[in-house]
Amino acid sequence: MTDNPQTVAEHDTFTVRRTIHIAAPVEKVWSAVTEPEHISRWFGRTVLQGTGVGAPGTVAWPDEYAIPIRVEAVDRPRMISYRWCNDEAVESVPSELDAAHSTVFTFTLEPLRDGTQLTVVETGFETTLDPARNIESHRQGWDEQLDRLVAMLEAR
């Protein structure tokens, strides 16, 4: 598995960011971050109703409620953004996406000679109930989830 730096929390801009190298072609990484059946293998169980900008859906982990999610932007095969209501401080998860109290995470893919550089940036934590708590929780989450993505894509 490729050695990758950890996710960085940028409290002044309410952002978390991580750039990793994956020893897999862009097409394979693109599928892993855009197709629900592949996302579900490394992230959380993902369901999308349709494809492209505006497609709504959910993502859920075992023993947790489904979190509303929506595709915000797509530039195939270089970038995809999702908006979600994953606020650790709320007492109950909303059944529908609340754009005013949500964050956006964007995957940007860059082809390299020996694989793909993938950057994830999540923004908008200032709209959550406890920005500092959410930034730290999501920073840890991206470390775990992206490590799983690398392991899945680099498995021989």
Side-chain angles (χ1 to χ4, degrees):
M1 182 158 95
T2 308
D3 186 32
N4 284 302
Q6 299 298 294
T7 304
V8 175
E10 300 170 357
H11 291 270
D12 58 330
T13 61
F14 301 99
T15 301
V16 294
R17 171 186 318 273
R18 186 174 185 199
T19 298
I20 60 174
H21 175 269
I22 304 171
V26 166
E27 298 78 21
K28 190 172 180 180
V29 178
W30 179 256
S31 292
V33 299
T34 61
E35 297 174 11
E37 64 273 13
H38 295 297
I39 299 169
S40 296
R41 290 179 53 211
W42 65 272
F43 195 56
R45 184 175 179 281
T46 303
V47 175
L48 287 174
Q49 300 163 8
T51 60
V53 175
T58 59
V59 63
W61 288 267
D63 302 321
E64 293 187 26
Y65 294 100
I67 298 167
I69 191 168
R70 179 178 67 212
V71 177
E72 290 291 291
V74 179
D75 180 12
R76 182 182 177 91
R78 300 205 14 82
M79 181 276 299
I80 187 161
S81 290
Y82 298 93
R83 178 177 296 277
W84 65 346
C85 290
N86 190 10
D87 188 336
E88 307 289 332
V90 297
E91 291 183 21
S92 63
V93 176
S95 59
E96 293 187 19
L97 189 80
D98 177 1
H101 299 96
S102 59
T103 61
V104 174
F105 60 95
T106 301
F107 294 112
T108 304
L109 291 72
E110 181 180 334
L112 302 173
R113 185 177 43 81
D114 60 346
T116 303
Q117 178 176 286
L118 175 72
T119 300
V120 64
V121 177
E122 186 172 2
T123 61
F125 290 99
E126 68 275 14
T127 71
T128 65
L129 292 177
D130 187 343
R133 175 180 170 190
N134 281 301
I135 287 171
E136 182 56 24
S137 173
H138 289 226
R139 183 196 64 74
Q140 291 175 8
W142 285 118
D143 280 344
E144 180 182 324
Q145 303 302 330
L146 292 176
D147 287 350
R148 290 179 66 194
L149 172 65
V150 171
M152 180 186 87
L153 291 175
E154 292 185 353
R156 300 281 181 238

